[in-house]
């Protein structure tokens, strides 16, 4: 029982349940399955992006350019759809994934080959990709009237009572779970985060694996470029502006350690859902948006404190002492 209660996912589930219960006292329909399904759908893009960010954070890196990647790939696919509406939407999604992959690979190459810290690289590409969005579009917007009905409607289509956007998120959860728990790449990602030096002696190419992690995060952002633009039916330079903070917050709240090597798919999903519930619940009970920001920030600080305490567990201490020796 004690081991169970030490798991971050259990505490997050309890916090989510308490939040739903408190809001339900003011608005009973909030706890209905239909409304919770809507909240999940609203949070789906954040869930997918948090999973992509998690892969990078596990390697002791960070990708601050994901939101700018979303904006640029979203603009590219929207402009192509506006100019050539006959192109099938799945082809545009694949194109977005390829563009996002290229942007992520650029980040990964700079980190791998030049040895530049990831926070510096992605802080620079954050601005580069946002500026490229303006250059590609000439500062113009692509609005709903320029997008084809299939481009807008695909992820709104229903399957077994859920929008396809929710199914995108569920598929991402399943794929990332398999990647991180059932593949050599997943084990390598965790190993690098725990101890990069020992990983080299274990035969893991740390630089190449980190590069692959950035490619994955870039490809995820590219897919979300289409999902974002088609959901909110607008492509502009301001798309997802500042959203990188939400992505990282979801990971931190979900127990993914910034120091690398610690985290789970379930934690990332619950962290994103916690933020999604806050964003959906607080307006229902007429709480100011500024208080929403304060509550989200408080949750992030609390999560960092809990993460720091978790990293002082006996296993981590022994590892650090061994490294020092």
């Amino acid at each position: 029982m004690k081991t169970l209660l030490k798991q971050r996912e259990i505490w997050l589930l309890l916090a989510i349940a308490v939040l739903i219960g408190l809001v339900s006292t003011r608005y009973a329909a909030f706890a209905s399955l239909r409304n919770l399904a809507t909240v999940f759908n609203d949070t789906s893009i954040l869930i997918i992006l948090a999973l992509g960010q998690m892969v990078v954070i596990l390697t002791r890196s960070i990708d601050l350019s994901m939101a700018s990647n979303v904006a640029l790939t979203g603009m590219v696919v929207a402009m192509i759809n506006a100019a050539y509406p006959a192109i099938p939407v799945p082809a545009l999604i694949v194109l977005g994934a390829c563009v996002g992959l290229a942007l992520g690979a650029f980040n990964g190459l700079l980190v791998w080959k030049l040895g530049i810290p990831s926070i510096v690289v992605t802080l620079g590409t954050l601005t580069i990709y946002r500026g490229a969005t303006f250059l590609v579009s000439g500062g113009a917007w692509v609005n709903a009237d320029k997008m084809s009905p299939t481009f807008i409607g695909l992820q709104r289509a229903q399957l077994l009572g859920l929008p396809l956007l929710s199914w995108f998120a569920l598929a991402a959860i399943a794929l990332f779970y398999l990647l991180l728990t059932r593949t050599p790449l997943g084990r390598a990602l965790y190993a690098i985060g725990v101890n990069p030096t020992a990983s080299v002696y274990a035969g893991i190419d740390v630089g190449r694996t980190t590069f692959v992690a950035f490619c994955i995060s870039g490809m995820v952002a590219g897919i979300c470029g289409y999902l974002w633009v088609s959901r909110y039916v607008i492509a502009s330079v301001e798309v997802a502006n500042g959203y990188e903070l939400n992505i990282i917050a979801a990971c931190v709240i979900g127990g993914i350690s910034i120091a690398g090597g610690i985290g789970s798919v379930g934690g990332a999903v619950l962290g994103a859902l916690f933020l999604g519930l806050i964003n959906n619940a607080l307006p229902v009970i007429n709480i100011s948006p500024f208080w929403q920001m304060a509550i989200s920030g408080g949750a992030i600080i609390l999560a960092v404190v809990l993460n720091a305490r978790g990293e002082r567990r006996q296993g981590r201490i022994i590892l650090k002492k061994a490294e020092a020796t």
Side-chain angles (χ1 to χ4, degrees):
M1 184 64 179
K2 288 183 178 180
T3 303
L4 186 65
L5 290 176
K6 287 180 180 179
Q7 295 181 11
R8 172 65 65 84
E9 291 85 351
I10 301 299
W11 288 107
L12 268 174
L13 279 172
L14 291 173
I16 288 172
V18 169
L19 179 60
I20 293 172
L22 289 175
V23 177
S24 298
T25 61
R26 295 283 299 274
Y27 181 64
F30 187 81
S32 67
L33 289 178
R34 182 176 180 179
N35 184 69
L36 293 178
T38 301
V39 172
F40 181 84
N41 191 65
D42 291 342
T43 316
S44 292
I45 295 176
L46 178 58
I47 290 172
I48 298 170
L49 290 170
L51 291 171
Q53 183 71 250
M54 173 189 172
V55 171
V56 175
I57 293 178
L58 284 176
T59 65
R60 300 189 177 189
S61 302
I62 197 164
D63 187 354
L64 298 177
S65 67
M66 286 193 81
S68 298
N69 189 330
V70 169
L72 179 53
T73 53
M75 178 62 75
V76 169
V77 296
M79 291 180 65
I80 292 175
N81 175 253
Y84 307 99
I87 296 178
V89 175
L92 292 176
I93 296 174
V94 171
L95 175 63
C98 292
V99 173
L101 174 63
L103 299 179
F106 180 67
N107 289 335
L109 281 173
L110 293 178
V111 173
W112 176 22
K113 294 299 185 181
L114 300 184
I116 306 174
S118 60
I119 191 170
V120 176
V121 169
T122 57
L123 188 61
T125 54
L126 177 155
T127 307
I128 292 171
Y129 298 162
R130 188 69 64 175
T133 306
F134 180 86
L135 294 175
V136 166
S137 64
W141 293 11
V142 180
N143 297 314
D145 59 337
K146 299 178 183 177
M147 300 176 186
S148 68
T150 54
F151 184 88
I152 297 172
L154 177 65
Q155 51 100 1
R156 290 176 172 79
Q158 297 277 328
L159 178 63
L160 300 178
L162 285 177
L164 281 184
L165 178 58
S166 294
W167 287 107
F168 270 101
L170 291 172
I173 293 169
L175 289 173
F176 274 91
Y177 176 79
L178 292 174
L179 170 69
L180 294 176
T181 62
R182 298 290 186 271
T183 67
L185 174 60
R187 291 189 288 273
L189 293 169
Y190 280 103
I192 290 171
V194 172
N195 192 323
T197 303
S199 298
V200 173
Y201 288 107
I204 298 173
D205 190 325
V206 174
R208 187 183 299 276
T209 304
T210 303
F211 168 76
V212 172
F214 275 101
C215 289
I216 292 172
S217 71
M219 184 170 61
V220 165
I223 295 171
C224 287
Y226 160 74
L227 295 176
W228 186 294
V229 168
S230 64
R231 176 168 178 75
Y232 299 106
V233 290
I234 187 170
S236 73
V237 179
E238 297 301 318
V239 161
N241 192 21
Y243 205 67
E244 55 274 348
L245 301 180
N246 297 56
I247 300 168
I248 296 170
C251 291
V252 172
I253 291 173
I256 289 88
S257 173
I258 296 297
I262 296 177
S264 68
V265 169
V269 173
L270 290 173
L273 285 174
F274 182 78
L275 289 179
L277 279 168
I278 288 178
N279 292 334
N280 281 271
L282 298 188
V284 170
I285 53 179
N286 297 321
I287 292 181
S288 165
F290 298 103
W291 276 108
Q292 295 177 42
M293 296 169 62
I295 293 172
S296 299
I300 294 169
I301 293 174
L302 177 61
V304 170
V305 172
L306 293 175
N307 287 350
R309 289 175 63 86
E311 288 168 19
R312 297 194 189 105
R313 290 175 301 180
Q314 188 68 13
R316 299 284 287 194
I317 292 174
I318 291 172
L319 181 60
K320 289 177 180 177
K321 286 183 178 178
E323 289 176 354
T325 302

